[in-house]
Amino acid sequence: MSEANEKLMQALATIEGAPKSGYYQHTSGGLYWFTAPALHVETLEVLAVYQSLAGPHAGVNWIRSLTRFNPAHGFERMTSDDYRKARAKAGHEYYGE
């Protein structure tokens, strides 16, 4: 197997184990919708695609290395109920739901 194919296979395995779509909250209080993992077209780095749901950046899509979209970097998955409670508790506009 070529080096490029091996790298692609590793990236696809990482995507298979990636978080599922859903609500996430950062320790800073930001609320996000994790859309999906994606591959960088040139480097095959696995990226997290997510959208800000609150504040001045509501509706903005972001990408970051999937390795940095996890609890160690402040992102925790939320249930829909937890999201609704956090949204109700905050006093600013939300995008989406």
Side-chain angles (χ1 to χ4, degrees):
M1 182 182 302
S2 74
E3 186 177 332
N5 282 343
E6 193 171 311
K7 190 170 183 179
L8 177 59
M9 295 305 287
Q10 288 174 344
L12 292 174
T14 301
I15 284 177
E16 198 170 292
K20 302 299 179 213
S21 296
Y23 297 107
Y24 285 78
Q25 185 168 27
H26 192 268
T27 52
S28 67
L31 297 173
Y32 301 93
W33 175 260
F34 175 76
T35 305
L39 290 178
H40 187 286
V41 69
E42 295 170 354
T43 66
L44 297 179
E45 178 184 9
V46 182
L47 303 169
V49 179
Y50 60 104
Q51 184 177 67
S52 178
L53 298 173
H57 302 295
V60 174
N61 290 310
W62 302 89
I63 60 170
R64 71 168 52 212
S65 174
L66 185 65
T67 61
R68 295 184 54 82
F69 194 89
N70 59 48
H73 292 281
F75 290 94
E76 293 284 347
R77 186 170 173 88
M78 305 174 74
T79 66
S80 293
D81 286 342
D82 288 341
Y83 170 72
R84 286 194 234 335
K85 289 175 190 171
R87 186 176 71 178
K89 185 178 174 184
H92 47 80
E93 298 249 344
Y94 283 82
Y95 180 85
E97 188 184 295

